[in-house]
Amino acid sequence: MESYKTKLTSAYELVKERLTRAKPGFKPQVAIVLGSGLGKFADLCEEPFIIKYNEISGFPVSTVSGHEGRFVFDKVNDVPVAIMQGRVHMYEGFSAAESVLPIRLMGLLGAEMIILTNAAGAVNSSFNVGDLMIISDHISSFVSSPLRGENLDFLGDRFPDMTNVYDTALTEQAEKMANIPLRKGVYMQLPGPQYETPAEVRMCRTLGADAVGMSTAIEAIAAKHMGMRVFGISCITNMAAGVSDKKLAHKDVAAIAQESFPLFSKLLNDILLNLRK
Ligand code: HPA
Protein backbone atom coordinates (compact mmCIF):
# COMPACT_ATOMS: atom_id res chain seq x y z
CA MET A 1 0.00 0.00 0.00
CA GLU A 2 1.16 3.48 -0.86
CA SER A 3 2.57 5.15 2.25
CA TYR A 4 0.91 8.24 3.62
CA LYS A 5 4.04 10.26 2.92
CA THR A 6 4.06 9.16 -0.74
CA LYS A 7 0.36 9.97 -1.07
CA LEU A 8 0.88 13.44 0.39
CA THR A 9 3.96 14.25 -1.67
CA SER A 10 2.49 13.00 -4.95
CA ALA A 11 -0.74 14.94 -4.33
CA TYR A 12 1.37 18.01 -3.56
CA GLU A 13 3.43 17.61 -6.72
CA LEU A 14 0.35 17.21 -8.92
CA VAL A 15 -1.41 20.27 -7.45
CA LYS A 16 1.79 22.36 -7.47
CA GLU A 17 2.44 21.52 -11.11
CA ARG A 18 -1.12 22.31 -12.26
CA LEU A 19 -1.27 25.46 -10.17
CA THR A 20 2.06 26.74 -11.50
CA ARG A 21 0.89 26.14 -15.05
CA ALA A 22 -2.41 27.97 -14.48
CA LYS A 23 -1.11 30.76 -12.25
CA PRO A 24 2.67 31.10 -12.59
CA GLY A 25 4.35 32.27 -9.36
CA PHE A 26 1.15 31.89 -7.33
CA LYS A 27 1.82 30.94 -3.70
CA PRO A 28 -1.13 30.84 -1.30
CA GLN A 29 -0.54 32.95 1.78
CA VAL A 30 -3.74 31.90 3.52
CA ALA A 31 -5.53 28.55 3.48
CA ILE A 32 -9.29 28.63 4.08
CA VAL A 33 -11.55 25.67 4.85
CA LEU A 34 -15.24 26.32 4.23
CA GLY A 35 -17.64 24.29 6.33
CA SER A 36 -21.25 23.18 5.80
CA GLY A 37 -23.36 25.84 4.10
CA LEU A 38 -20.42 28.29 3.91
CA GLY A 39 -18.93 27.07 0.62
CA LYS A 40 -20.40 29.96 -1.34
CA PHE A 41 -17.52 32.17 -0.22
CA ALA A 42 -15.35 30.55 -2.88
CA ASP A 43 -17.89 31.51 -5.54
CA LEU A 44 -16.92 35.15 -4.93
CA CYS A 45 -13.51 34.50 -6.52
CA GLU A 46 -13.10 36.36 -9.80
CA GLU A 47 -10.34 34.34 -11.44
CA PRO A 48 -10.52 30.99 -9.72
CA PHE A 49 -8.31 28.08 -10.61
CA ILE A 50 -10.15 24.95 -9.52
CA ILE A 51 -8.93 21.43 -8.83
CA LYS A 52 -11.49 18.87 -7.77
CA TYR A 53 -10.38 16.47 -5.05
CA ASN A 54 -11.39 13.53 -7.25
CA GLU A 55 -8.84 14.63 -9.85
CA ILE A 56 -6.06 13.99 -7.33
CA SER A 57 -5.14 10.33 -7.08
CA GLY A 58 -5.41 8.92 -3.55
CA PHE A 59 -7.14 12.03 -2.25
CA PRO A 60 -10.01 11.78 0.25
CA VAL A 61 -13.28 12.84 -1.38
CA SER A 62 -16.29 14.06 0.61
CA THR A 63 -19.69 12.47 0.20
CA VAL A 64 -21.64 14.96 2.32
CA SER A 65 -24.25 17.18 0.72
CA GLY A 66 -23.35 20.85 1.07
CA HIS A 67 -19.65 20.03 0.61
CA GLU A 68 -18.38 20.71 -2.93
CA GLY A 69 -15.08 18.85 -2.79
CA ARG A 70 -12.60 21.09 -4.55
CA PHE A 71 -9.69 23.48 -4.13
CA VAL A 72 -10.13 27.02 -5.38
CA PHE A 73 -7.00 29.13 -5.84
CA ASP A 74 -7.26 32.86 -6.33
CA LYS A 75 -6.63 36.25 -4.76
CA VAL A 76 -9.27 37.59 -2.38
CA ASN A 77 -8.77 41.24 -1.43
CA ASP A 78 -5.32 40.94 -2.98
CA VAL A 79 -4.35 38.05 -0.70
CA PRO A 80 -3.42 34.80 -2.47
CA VAL A 81 -5.61 32.07 -0.98
CA ALA A 82 -6.09 28.32 -1.25
CA ILE A 83 -9.70 27.56 -0.43
CA MET A 84 -11.13 24.16 0.38
CA GLN A 85 -14.73 24.27 -0.76
CA GLY A 86 -15.78 21.30 1.31
CA ARG A 87 -13.78 19.10 3.65
CA VAL A 88 -13.75 15.42 4.49
CA HIS A 89 -14.82 14.15 7.88
CA MET A 90 -13.72 11.21 9.99
CA TYR A 91 -17.32 9.96 10.14
CA GLU A 92 -17.14 9.29 6.39
CA GLY A 93 -14.66 6.56 7.25
CA PHE A 94 -11.39 8.44 6.84
CA SER A 95 -8.68 8.23 9.46
CA ALA A 96 -7.69 11.47 11.19
CA ALA A 97 -4.45 11.57 9.16
CA GLU A 98 -6.30 11.03 5.85
CA SER A 99 -8.80 13.74 6.77
CA VAL A 100 -6.04 16.33 7.21
CA LEU A 101 -4.14 15.45 4.03
CA PRO A 102 -5.61 18.48 2.19
CA ILE A 103 -4.64 20.75 5.10
CA ARG A 104 -1.06 19.52 4.94
CA LEU A 105 -1.03 19.97 1.19
CA MET A 106 -2.01 23.65 1.53
CA GLY A 107 0.74 24.05 4.14
CA LEU A 108 3.27 22.52 1.75
CA LEU A 109 2.11 24.91 -1.00
CA GLY A 110 3.26 27.72 1.30
CA ALA A 111 0.20 28.85 3.28
CA GLU A 112 1.46 30.52 6.46
CA MET A 113 -1.94 30.78 7.99
CA ILE A 114 -5.21 28.85 7.96
CA ILE A 115 -8.77 29.95 8.56
CA LEU A 116 -10.95 27.02 9.61
CA THR A 117 -14.71 27.39 9.52
CA ASN A 118 -17.54 25.08 10.47
CA ALA A 119 -21.17 24.75 11.40
CA ALA A 120 -21.57 23.94 15.08
CA GLY A 121 -24.18 23.36 17.75
CA ALA A 122 -24.27 25.69 20.76
CA VAL A 123 -23.52 24.02 24.07
CA ASN A 124 -23.40 27.41 25.75
CA SER A 125 -27.05 28.29 26.34
CA SER A 126 -26.37 32.05 26.15
CA PHE A 127 -25.49 31.71 22.45
CA ASN A 128 -28.07 32.21 19.71
CA VAL A 129 -28.65 30.45 16.43
CA GLY A 130 -26.90 32.49 13.73
CA ASP A 131 -24.07 33.69 16.00
CA LEU A 132 -20.49 33.51 14.83
CA MET A 133 -18.04 32.19 17.41
CA ILE A 134 -14.30 32.71 17.24
CA ILE A 135 -12.65 29.50 18.41
CA SER A 136 -10.37 30.26 21.35
CA ASP A 137 -9.37 26.66 22.03
CA HIS A 138 -10.57 23.15 21.32
CA ILE A 139 -11.11 19.73 22.88
CA SER A 140 -10.16 16.88 20.54
CA SER A 141 -9.75 14.14 23.15
CA PHE A 142 -12.72 12.12 21.85
CA VAL A 143 -11.28 11.66 18.37
CA SER A 144 -8.02 10.14 17.22
CA SER A 145 -5.01 12.40 16.61
CA PRO A 146 -4.02 13.19 13.02
CA LEU A 147 -0.42 12.94 14.23
CA ARG A 148 -0.80 9.30 15.26
CA GLY A 149 1.71 6.97 13.60
CA GLU A 150 5.18 7.69 12.30
CA ASN A 151 6.01 11.38 12.66
CA LEU A 152 6.58 13.19 9.39
CA ASP A 153 9.63 15.17 10.45
CA PHE A 154 9.50 17.38 7.36
CA LEU A 155 6.13 18.66 8.61
CA GLY A 156 6.85 19.17 12.30
CA ASP A 157 7.89 17.80 15.69
CA ARG A 158 6.82 14.50 17.24
CA PHE A 159 5.40 16.23 20.32
CA PRO A 160 4.13 19.65 19.21
CA ASP A 161 3.03 22.19 21.81
CA MET A 162 -0.71 22.96 21.74
CA THR A 163 -0.77 25.75 24.33
CA ASN A 164 -1.80 28.39 21.81
CA VAL A 165 -3.34 26.62 18.83
CA TYR A 166 -5.54 29.56 17.87
CA ASP A 167 -3.54 32.70 17.15
CA THR A 168 -4.25 35.36 19.77
CA ALA A 169 -3.15 38.27 17.58
CA LEU A 170 -5.52 37.23 14.78
CA THR A 171 -8.34 36.74 17.28
CA GLU A 172 -7.81 40.19 18.78
CA GLN A 173 -7.66 41.77 15.33
CA ALA A 174 -10.89 40.07 14.27
CA GLU A 175 -12.66 41.12 17.47
CA LYS A 176 -11.50 44.71 17.05
CA MET A 177 -12.44 45.20 13.44
CA ALA A 178 -15.65 43.15 13.25
CA ASN A 179 -18.59 45.50 13.54
CA ILE A 180 -20.83 42.62 14.46
CA PRO A 181 -21.06 40.99 17.88
CA LEU A 182 -18.85 37.93 17.93
CA ARG A 183 -18.89 35.11 20.44
CA LYS A 184 -15.69 33.45 21.57
CA GLY A 185 -15.38 29.98 23.00
CA VAL A 186 -14.11 26.43 23.13
CA TYR A 187 -15.01 24.06 20.27
CA MET A 188 -15.27 20.36 20.93
CA GLN A 189 -14.92 17.83 18.12
CA LEU A 190 -16.93 14.63 18.55
CA PRO A 191 -16.85 11.71 16.10
CA GLY A 192 -20.41 11.91 14.70
CA PRO A 193 -22.13 11.39 12.33
CA GLN A 194 -25.02 11.14 14.77
CA TYR A 195 -25.79 14.33 16.63
CA GLU A 196 -25.16 14.19 20.37
CA THR A 197 -27.61 13.05 23.00
CA PRO A 198 -28.64 15.63 25.60
CA ALA A 199 -26.49 13.74 28.14
CA GLU A 200 -23.47 14.08 25.85
CA VAL A 201 -24.14 17.78 25.45
CA ARG A 202 -24.23 18.14 29.26
CA MET A 203 -20.89 16.30 29.33
CA CYS A 204 -19.47 18.75 26.75
CA ARG A 205 -20.60 21.66 28.93
CA THR A 206 -19.10 20.15 32.08
CA LEU A 207 -15.82 19.71 30.22
CA GLY A 208 -15.76 23.37 29.23
CA ALA A 209 -17.06 23.36 25.65
CA ASP A 210 -19.16 26.20 24.23
CA ALA A 211 -19.86 24.61 20.84
CA VAL A 212 -19.76 21.13 19.40
CA GLY A 213 -19.14 19.78 15.91
CA MET A 214 -17.63 16.96 13.87
CA SER A 215 -14.56 18.57 12.31
CA THR A 216 -11.93 21.28 12.67
CA ALA A 217 -9.95 20.33 15.81
CA ILE A 218 -7.90 17.70 13.97
CA GLU A 219 -7.28 20.18 11.15
CA ALA A 220 -6.10 22.78 13.66
CA ILE A 221 -3.73 20.21 15.18
CA ALA A 222 -2.26 19.30 11.77
CA ALA A 223 -1.85 22.97 10.82
CA LYS A 224 -0.24 23.86 14.15
CA HIS A 225 2.07 20.85 13.79
CA MET A 226 3.32 22.45 10.56
CA GLY A 227 3.79 25.83 12.23
CA MET A 228 0.83 27.55 10.56
CA ARG A 229 -1.05 30.35 12.32
CA VAL A 230 -4.58 29.12 12.98
CA PHE A 231 -7.83 31.05 13.15
CA GLY A 232 -11.21 29.36 13.58
CA ILE A 233 -14.82 30.48 13.21
CA SER A 234 -17.90 28.44 14.09
CA CYS A 235 -21.25 29.38 12.67
CA ILE A 236 -23.78 28.45 15.36
CA THR A 237 -26.45 26.72 13.30
CA ASN A 238 -28.47 25.20 16.15
CA MET A 239 -28.66 24.83 19.87
CA ALA A 240 -27.09 21.43 20.64
CA ALA A 241 -29.38 18.56 21.61
CA GLY A 242 -31.32 19.22 24.79
CA VAL A 243 -30.31 22.90 24.96
CA SER A 244 -33.56 23.60 23.17
CA ASP A 245 -36.46 21.26 22.32
CA LYS A 246 -35.88 21.50 18.61
CA LYS A 247 -34.92 18.32 16.77
CA LEU A 248 -31.70 18.42 14.75
CA ALA A 249 -31.48 17.93 11.00
CA HIS A 250 -28.62 18.49 8.57
CA LYS A 251 -30.83 20.44 6.16
CA ASP A 252 -31.64 22.99 8.92
CA VAL A 253 -27.96 23.24 9.82
CA ALA A 254 -27.08 24.02 6.19
CA ALA A 255 -30.00 26.47 5.85
CA ILE A 256 -28.98 28.47 8.94
CA ALA A 257 -25.35 28.55 7.79
CA GLN A 258 -26.64 30.02 4.50
CA GLU A 259 -28.60 32.66 6.43
CA SER A 260 -25.49 33.67 8.38
CA PHE A 261 -23.49 33.76 5.18
CA PRO A 262 -23.51 37.57 4.67
CA LEU A 263 -22.09 38.15 8.18
CA PHE A 264 -19.63 35.31 7.79
CA SER A 265 -18.49 36.52 4.40
CA LYS A 266 -18.00 40.08 5.68
CA LEU A 267 -15.89 38.84 8.59
CA LEU A 268 -13.71 36.71 6.34
CA ASN A 269 -13.28 39.56 3.86
CA ASP A 270 -12.29 41.96 6.64
CA ILE A 271 -9.76 39.49 8.02
CA LEU A 272 -8.20 39.09 4.58
CA LEU A 273 -8.15 42.85 3.99
CA ASN A 274 -6.17 43.18 7.18
CA LEU A 275 -3.67 40.57 6.04
CA ARG A 276 -2.91 42.26 2.74
CA LYS A 277 0.85 42.64 2.44
N1 HPA B 1 -23.57 18.73 16.84
C1 HPA B 1 -22.53 18.28 16.11
N2 HPA B 1 -22.20 18.81 14.95
C2 HPA B 1 -22.91 19.85 14.49
C3 HPA B 1 -24.01 20.36 15.21
C4 HPA B 1 -24.35 19.76 16.44
O1 HPA B 1 -25.31 20.16 17.14
N3 HPA B 1 -24.52 21.39 14.46
C5 HPA B 1 -23.74 21.48 13.36
N4 HPA B 1 -22.79 20.56 13.37
Side-chain angles (χ1 to χ4, degrees), residues 36 118-122 187-188 190 192-196 201 212-215 235-241 248 250 253:
S36 290
N118 60 45
Y187 175 88
M188 183 150 161
L190 287 180
Q194 75 284 3
Y195 290 112
E196 301 70 36
V201 171
V212 67
M214 304 173 195
S215 66
C235 174
I236 302 297
T237 50
N238 58 282
M239 304 312 283
L248 306 185
H250 179 66
V253 164

Side-chain angles (χ1 to χ4, degrees), residues 36-158:
S36 290
L38 303 171
K40 261 196 320 192
F41 186 80
D43 299 335
L44 305 177
C45 288
E46 285 171 4
E47 291 176 5
F49 176 64
I50 292 170
I51 303 182
K52 291 189 180 155
Y53 303 153
N54 65 11
E55 293 169 26
I56 309 168
S57 141
F59 217 66
V61 177
S62 174
T63 54
V64 187
S65 78
H67 283 259
E68 281 284 353
R70 57 194 199 170
F71 284 117
V72 179
F73 299 95
D74 202 0
K75 283 191 172 175
V76 176
N77 290 337
D78 237 16
V79 179
V81 296
I83 302 179
M84 280 175 67
Q85 203 174 21
R87 55 156 61 88
V88 292
H89 304 82
M90 291 179 71
Y91 62 72
E92 295 176 77
F94 300 108
S95 69
E98 278 174 311
S99 308
V100 302
L101 198 110
I103 307 290
R104 289 174 156 164
L105 191 147
M106 294 190 292
L108 291 176
L109 288 174
E112 301 149 22
M113 178 185 151
I114 188 159
I115 302 177
L116 300 169
T117 73
N118 60 45
V123 171
N124 185 325
S125 58
S126 75
F127 288 2
N128 297 308
V129 168
D131 283 350
L132 296 179
M133 181 191 91
I134 296 183
I135 303 177
S136 58
D137 203 351
H138 71 225
I139 299 172
S140 72
S141 318
F142 292 86
V143 291
S144 176
S145 169
L147 312 183
R148 191 180 143 101
E150 184 197 353
N151 187 53
L152 299 177
D153 294 331
F154 68 103
L155 299 180
D157 292 344
R158 171 77 288 188

